[in-house]
């Protein structure tokens, strides 16, 4: 009997699905085996992917097969990579500091610039544009604006120096309460999305079990 | 703690002490008002001391009066305006007031005082007979030896006068140069009583005449009356030969323990009769002062009195010379008269009155010769000395002058009178003594002393009658007696600590602890006292002594300052008595309570001796601040640096006390306590506290799982489609419609960048959502370049293509079968996160697409042979993500590089809410999210006739189960929420009931 690839894949899928669902009865070795298998497989896959697609394709090949310019350019990434490896040594970890600083700096700059240029300003522009698109948009924009203001008001925890009690004022407390409601709705929506995604995955797994079993029954 | 400086030694003592821990001086002194200082050069202001005269002792007043009468005052001297007052009733207090200022002096003050005055305050060791050779003819004691007249003849009878007044009086004059004993008018009562006893007894033993030979009818000169009369009494007593006495003396036998030492020694028998009680009571003899003990050394027998004295040379050496001579065994009257006749030079150096005093008494034929041979000297004698030296006719005859001289008796102090009371003679003398003592003429303490005697001798015991415990020259003896109840009241008052300090110095110095009695053990003299002093010629001239004959002299400069005052206030006979060294008096420190005397009553001559004003300025520095110690009490009050304070003590400062207690208010303490609690809590381990699994949680979990499983499984098994499909949105601006429109608007064969950034765990959802989109794209024959920013999702794009191909192959949908590197390829993993996305957006060929196996993918025909240099080179970018952050990253980093190219996003249901704003803002060209979005897209594809079979798959396989699961989940949430509300309400009610209970 030749075990097809689909059968083996289906069998493993069924097995691991059951092992994961076994967590329903609590932490058990089957669940741990499934978790460890997933983590190990993922880690191995990541390592292989990174080594092949990053170290080999983006460092070694240019150094070995690239022209002089490419080789010269690749010296700096190679040097940085070696310095990063010094982070594993407590005595030499200071050598990797500049490389980490470079990576963090570049990543922070990209993230901040992208957040400002790609999220903040476009969102402000879009929110402002809502007030110019008619009464409906005005209400919608006003609601969004109100929700944004009260949500920000909820995260306002500082009080004035004159406030000896350390508690919010009545207006700030009311706005914070409204912001709390908006935040709660947002978290509810997010939870609903997570629940929907989880239910979809659950349906997929149940459907895969049914299809696997159906393939054997048929 | 406060400190008190000792007024005597100047050392610092704690406040709690009453006596100085260094010198024993009392510390609790009452402040005394300072006296006005005398400026240098200022003449002493004459003070009206008339009132003070009454405070003078009677003997001093008499001496002053006698001096005024017999000696012309110097021309430059201030006339004495003394007005002798009748004897004060309180005689004991009189001398205290007189020498009040002197009693407060300390060592420094004494240095400034004239030496002659210092000599008045006590004897100096240098003047002690022990320091002087007894046989030195030029010493001061020589003339006094000669003053004592010729040696008394051998007298077998006891010599009561030897212990009595004769020894005491001569001692004060000769040995210590102290002021003479008070005259009869000023002496205390007890002295007067003794005197009366002496006179009324009319006993004139031979020894008395031997001690004070007085020429008959001699002039006693300036001697005080009381002393002259006393001398007369003694004359009669001493002159009485033993053989002339009616019988043996029968002294009162007083127990040795009750007698002072010196009296016990004084009671030594002079003859065979007296030797018996002494030998029978050796302890009492040993307790006597040395000089008195020697004086009263029993005569071995009969007239040979020299035997015991020669047998005790040491004691004899300690005696004043004249006393030593007095007690020297006299073989006979002729032998005793010989020294006088053999030493005319010393006799010439004596003052007249003393020379007269030294005239032999006419007690016998031998003694009468020098007396008669020097009548002129008798005239120069003071009255009291003249009386003292009044010759007794001898035997019973000598008692006659005493008995026949009531006037002189009246002048004598009582005690001296008693003392001079002649014994009936020999043994007969004891009878009056006993009669007097029993008659109550004795002081109380003496009476008590005699009464407490264990055995009272029978009359006729002369030895016992000689015990007269008057201690005029020895307050120490009185003090010793003060412990007994036999001390008279007035002496008891004298012996208190307070009054003792008020005693005159001469009385203090007479105490046993003074140097007067320490003949054999002289204290080392200070260095200052060791320097040679010069003799004042004037004083010597006045006193009639030769220069150098007197071993004492005062410094010239001090004499110059003191002379006017001496001439003004001091009698001549006192001014002539100058001590050798004033520093020796420093040993006789005044009593601690002497400083309590008021300073305003000081006589002018005492004030004149006070330090000058220059000492006042010494206590102030340049700033006018007091820098030195200022006397607060006594006559030196107001002066600075009189009593030197050790420099070490001056520099001592009590260190300032600093509290080590932390100065913190209540708020700071509270905050410190809170901080301490926080720190302590951080160090304490906390139990993680395993969550208590609710009893219903596990069954509930099973129930929910069962419900969800059934809800999903039944539609999948049954293949039902009872859950209604979602309706396509009508609005064109809806993200779904915009997404579909964008895909529909892509040109045929468009190159799309498909980013698969979702986790494999969400593949079940994402594939159901992205599957219809992929079918739509495959129908559009779009070329797909898969890229992933996640290492685990690089191959998910291929899975999507394979699933679509499988669907198309299975269903014969008419769609082309996509082959790798023809219709799609994998650019691989894009590292670097946001930076990598940005870099890819700007320079896609430099970031990825170079495969070691496949080469440069950018150069493939699929990607336009390297024509795509930017992300905008793609016709559209489709991002498949389950993470809103990854979707936001692609939106943010590629917004500028897309250059208007559509950015589509297929998102999981959990990321859709976060990506909706980007879709609403137009940053996303379309968004399809969740299973419902996939079902909608299938519905739209079916409507477009793109993939009708495929379009029903998601709906057929997942939608009903998904719908049922969402329903069950919703119900579970609602039921769970309701259960939570009910549980809280029940908890509140139960709490309320518990509170009410």
């Amino acid at each position: 009997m030749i075990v097809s690839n689909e059968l083996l894949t289906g069998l493993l899928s069924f097995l691991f699905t059951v092992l994961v669902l076994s967590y329903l009865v609590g932490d058990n070795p089957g669940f741990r085996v499934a978790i460890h298998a997933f983590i190990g497989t993922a880690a191995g896959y990541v390592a292989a992917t990174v080594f092949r697609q990053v170290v080999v394709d983006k460092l070694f090949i240019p150094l070995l097969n690239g022209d002089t310019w490419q080789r010269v350019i690749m010296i700096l990434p190679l040097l940085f990579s070696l310095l990063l490896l010094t982070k594993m040594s407590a005595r030499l970890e200071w050598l990797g500091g500049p490389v980490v600083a470079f990576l963090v700096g570049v990543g922070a700059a990209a993230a901040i610039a992208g957040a400002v240029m790609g999220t903040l300003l476009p969102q402000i522009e879009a929110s402002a544009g809502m007030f110019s698109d008619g009464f409906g948009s005005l209400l919608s924009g006003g609601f969004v604006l109100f929700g944004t203001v009260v949500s920000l008001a909820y995260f306002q925890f500082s009080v004035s120096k004159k406030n000896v009690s350390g508690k919010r004022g009545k207006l700030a407390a009311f706005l914070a309460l409204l912001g709390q409601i908006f935040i709660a709705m947002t978290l509810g929506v997010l939870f609903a999305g997570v629940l929907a995604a989880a239910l979809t995955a659950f349906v997929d797994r149940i459907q895969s079990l049914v299809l696997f079993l159906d393939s054997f029954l048929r | 703690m406060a400190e008190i400086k000792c007024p005597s030694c100047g050392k610092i003592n704690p406040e709690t002490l009453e006596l100085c821990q260094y010198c024993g001086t009392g510390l609790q002194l009452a402040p005394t008002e300072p006296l006005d200082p005398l400026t240098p050069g200022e003449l002493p202001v004459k003070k009206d001391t008339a009132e003070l005269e009454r405070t003078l002792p009677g003997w001093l007043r008499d001496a002053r009066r006698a001096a005024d009468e017999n000696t012309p005052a110097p021309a430059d001297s201030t006339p004495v305006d003394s007005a002798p007052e009748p004897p004060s009733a309180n005689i004991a207090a009189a001398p205290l007031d007189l020498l009040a200022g002197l009693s407060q002096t300390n060592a420094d003050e004494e240095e400034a005082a004239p030496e002659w005055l210092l000599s008045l305050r006590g004897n100096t060791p240098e003047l002690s007979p022990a320091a002087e050779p007894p046989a030195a003819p030029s010493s001061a004691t020589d003339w006094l030896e000669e003053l004592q007249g010729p040696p008394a003849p051998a007298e077998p009878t006891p010599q009561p006068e030897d212990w009595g007044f004769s020894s005491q009086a001569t001692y004060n004059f000769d040995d210590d140069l102290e002021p003479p004993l008070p005259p009869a008018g000023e002496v205390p009562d007890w002295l007067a009583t003794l005197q009366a006893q002496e006179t009324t007894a009319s006993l004139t033993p031979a020894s008395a005449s031997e001690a004070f030979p007085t020429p008959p009818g001699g002039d006693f000169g300036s001697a005080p009356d009381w002393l002259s009369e006393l001398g007369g009494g003694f004359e009669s007593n001493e002159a009485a030969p033993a053989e002339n006495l009616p019988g043996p003396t029968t002294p009162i036998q007083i127990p040795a323990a009750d007698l002072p030492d010196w009296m016990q020694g004084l009671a030594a028998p002079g003859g065979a009769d007296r030797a018996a009680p002494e030998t029978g009571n050796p302890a009492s003899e040993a307790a006597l002062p040395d000089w008195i003990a020697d004086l009263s050394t029993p005569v071995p027998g009969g007239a040979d009195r020299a035997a015991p004295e020669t047998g005790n040379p040491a004691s004899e050496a300690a005696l004043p010379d004249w006393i030593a001579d007095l007690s020297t065994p006299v073989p006979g009257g002729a032998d005793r008269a010989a020294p006088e006749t053999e030493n005319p030079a010393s006799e010439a150096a004596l003052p007249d009155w003393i020379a007269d005093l030294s005239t032999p008494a006419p007690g016998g034929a031998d003694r009468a010769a020098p007396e008669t041979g020097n009548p002129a000297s008798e005239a120069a004698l003071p009255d009291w000395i003249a009386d003292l030296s009044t010759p007794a006719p001898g035997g019973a005859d000598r008692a006659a002058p005493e008995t026949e001289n009531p006037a002189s008796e009246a002048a004598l102090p009582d005690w001296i009178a008693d003392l001079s009371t002649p014994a009936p003679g020999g043994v007969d003398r004891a009878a009056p003594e006993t009669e007097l003592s029993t008659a109550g003429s004795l002081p109380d303490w003496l009476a008590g002393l005699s009464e407490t005697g264990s055995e009272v001798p029978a009359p006729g015991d002369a030895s016992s009658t000689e015990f007269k415990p008057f201690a005029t020259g020895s307050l120490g003896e009185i003090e010793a007696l003060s412990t007994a109840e036999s001390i008279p009241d007035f002496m008891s008052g004298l012996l208190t600590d307070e009054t003792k300090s008020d005693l005159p110095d001469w009385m203090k110095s007479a105490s046993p602890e003074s140097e007067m009695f320490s003949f054999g053990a002289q204290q080392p003299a200070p260095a200052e006292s060791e320097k040679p002093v010069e003799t004042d010629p004037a004083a010597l001239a006045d006193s009639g002594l030769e220069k150098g004959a007197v071993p004492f002299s005062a410094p010239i400069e001090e004499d110059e300052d003191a002379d006017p005052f001496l001439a003004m206030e001091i009698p001549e006979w006192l001014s002539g008595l100058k001590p050798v060294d004033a520093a020796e008096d420093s040993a006789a420190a005044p009593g601690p309570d002497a400083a309590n005397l008021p300073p305003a009553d000081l006589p002018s001559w005492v004030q004149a001796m006070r330090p000058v004003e220059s000492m006042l300025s010494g206590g102030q520095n340049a700033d006018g601040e007091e820098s030195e110690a200022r006397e607060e009490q006594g006559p030196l009050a107001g002066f600075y640096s009189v009593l030197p304070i050790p420099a070490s003590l001056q520099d001592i400062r009590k260190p300032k006390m600093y509290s080590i207690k932390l100065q913190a208010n209540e708020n700071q303490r509270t905050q410190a306590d809170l901080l301490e609690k926080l720190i302590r809590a951080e160090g304490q381990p906390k139990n993680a506290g395993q969550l208590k699994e609710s009893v219903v949680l596990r069954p509930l979990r099973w129930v929910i799982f069962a419900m969800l499983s059934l809800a999903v499984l039944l539609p999948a098994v049954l293949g039902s489609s009872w859950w209604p499909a979602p309706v396509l949105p009508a609005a064109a601006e809806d993200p779904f419609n915009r997404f579909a429109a964008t895909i529909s608007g892509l040109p045929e064969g468009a190159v799309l960048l498909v980013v698969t950034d979702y986790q494999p765990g969400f593949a079940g959802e994402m594939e159901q959502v992205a599957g219809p989109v992929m079918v739509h794209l495959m129908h559009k024959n779009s070329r797909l370049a898969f890229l992933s920013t996640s290492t685990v999702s690089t191959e998910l794009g291929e899975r999507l293509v394979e699933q679509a191909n499988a669907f198309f192959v299975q269903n014969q949908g008419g769609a082309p079968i996509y082959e790798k590197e023809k219709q799609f390829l994998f650019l691989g993993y894009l590292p670097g996160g946001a930076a990598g996305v940005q870099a890819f957006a700007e320079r896609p060929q430099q970031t990825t697409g170079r495969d070691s196996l496949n080469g440069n993918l950018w150069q493939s025909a699929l990607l336009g042979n390297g024509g795509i240099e930017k992300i905008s080179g793609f016709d559209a970018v489709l991002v498949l993500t389950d993470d809103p952050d990854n979707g936001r990253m692609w939106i943010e980093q590629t917004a500028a590089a897309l250059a208007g190219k559509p950015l589509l996003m297929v998102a999981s249901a959990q990321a859709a809410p976060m990506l909706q704003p980007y879709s609403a803002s137009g940053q996303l060209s379309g968004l399809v999210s969740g299973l419902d979005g996939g079902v909608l897209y299938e519905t739209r594809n079916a409507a477009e006739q793109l993939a009708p079979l495929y379009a029903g798959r998601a709906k057929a396989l997942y939608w009903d189960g998904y719908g049922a699961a969402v329903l069950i989940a919703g119900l579970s949430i609602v039921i769970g929420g309701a259960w939570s509300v009910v549980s809280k309400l029940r908890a509140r009610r139960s709490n309320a009931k518990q509170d009410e209970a």
Side-chain angles (χ1 to χ4, degrees), chain A residues 24-25 45-46 52-53 57-58 61 110 114-115 118-119 122-123 126 189 193 196-197 200 202-204 206-207 210, chain B residues 698 701-702 705 713 716 765 791-792 794-795 828-829 847 850-853 892-893 909-910 918 921 923 957-958 962:
Chain A
L24 184 67
V25 298
Y45 183 80
V46 169
R52 175 182 172 271
Q53 296 187 15
D57 293 346
K58 295 183 171 56
I61 292 177
T119 300
Q123 290 298 317
V189 170
T200 303
F202 177 70
V203 171
D204 179 70
I206 297 297
Q207 189 65 33
V210 170
Chain B
R698 187 180 296 271
R701 187 187 305 165
W702 279 98
F705 175 74
L713 187 58
E765 179 192 10
T791 53
V792 294
T794 54
E795 302 296 329
Y829 165 69
T847 55
R850 298 180 182 274
D851 192 347
S852 57
L853 299 176
E892 292 174 350
Q893 301 300 328
Q910 64 181 4
Y918 295 98
S921 64
Q923 294 176 271
L957 296 178
Y958 289 89
Y962 172 79

Side-chain angles (χ1 to χ4, degrees), chain B residues 40 46 48 56 93 138 170 251 283 297 407 501-502 582 587 644 718 739 823 840 848 917 921 976 990 994:
Chain B
K46 179 179 180 299
D48 186 10
L56 290 175
S138 60
T170 54
T297 303
S501 61
D502 296 335
L718 299 177
F739 184 91
Q823 288 87 16
F840 179 83
T848 184
S921 64
S990 61
Q994 290 178 357

Side-chain angles (χ1 to χ4, degrees), chain B residues 139-418:
Chain B
S139 63
T141 57
D142 293 340
W143 60 272
L144 288 175
E145 290 177 0
E146 298 173 0
L147 179 67
Q148 297 164 10
E155 295 179 3
T157 56
Q159 305 295 326
E161 294 79 10
D162 292 347
W163 63 265
F165 175 75
S166 61
S167 61
Q168 183 69 24
T170 54
Y171 165 76
N172 286 335
F173 265 92
D174 180 37
D175 183 39
D176 298 305
L177 299 178
E178 283 208 342
L181 291 175
E186 295 294 331
V187 295
D189 293 338
W190 59 276
L191 288 176
T193 304
L194 286 177
Q195 185 181 13
Q197 291 176 356
E198 191 72 17
T199 54
T200 53
S202 301
L203 293 176
T204 56
S207 59
S209 61
E210 294 170 3
F212 295 95
T214 305
D219 186 7
F220 293 97
S222 59
D225 296 338
W226 65 273
L227 188 56
S228 61
E229 294 178 3
L230 186 64
F234 277 11
E235 178 72 18
S236 60
N237 293 336
E238 293 292 335
E243 55 271 17
N244 295 332
L245 294 176
T249 57
T250 56
I252 299 174
Q253 291 296 335
I254 300 177
D258 295 336
L259 288 176
D261 298 339
W262 62 276
M263 291 182 65
Q264 293 176 3
L266 202 61
D273 297 336
R274 298 178 63 183
E278 282 200 288
T279 54
N281 192 6
S284 61
E285 182 178 357
L288 276 175
D290 295 337
W291 63 278
I292 298 179
D294 298 337
L295 186 66
S296 61
T297 303
V299 179
D304 190 10
R305 295 175 59 188
E309 295 181 5
T310 54
N312 191 5
S315 59
E316 184 176 355
L319 279 175
D321 295 337
W322 62 275
I323 297 177
D325 294 341
L326 185 65
S327 59
T328 301
V330 181
D335 297 337
R336 296 183 62 180
E340 293 187 24
T341 56
E342 292 173 1
N343 193 7
S346 60
E347 187 173 334
L350 288 173
D352 296 336
W353 60 274
I354 297 179
D356 296 339
L357 186 64
S358 63
T359 303
D366 296 338
R367 290 187 295 178
E371 290 178 355
T372 55
N374 192 6
S377 60
E378 288 184 5
L381 278 176
D383 296 338
W384 60 278
I385 298 181
D387 295 339
L388 185 67
S389 61
T390 301
D397 298 337
R398 291 195 303 181
E402 292 189 348
T403 56
E404 295 172 358
N405 193 8
S408 60
E409 277 187 15
L412 277 176
D414 296 339
W415 63 276
I416 297 179
D418 296 340

Side-chain angles (χ1 to χ4, degrees), chain B residues 824-865:
Chain B
F824 70 95
L825 54 82
F826 297 96
L827 296 175
Y829 165 69
L830 179 64
V837 173
Q838 184 182 23
F840 179 83
E842 296 295 334
R843 293 177 297 274
Q845 296 184 12
Q846 280 77 31
T847 55
T848 184
R850 298 180 182 274
D851 192 347
S852 57
L853 299 176
N854 303 315
N856 189 357
L857 298 177
W858 296 103
Q859 300 298 326
S860 63
L862 181 70
L863 295 178
N865 299 320

Side-chain angles (χ1 to χ4, degrees), chain A residues 143-157:
Chain A
F143 184 79
V144 170
L145 179 61
F146 179 76
T148 303
V149 170
V150 297
S151 297
L152 293 175
Y154 173 79
F155 292 99
Q156 202 271 333
F157 298 110

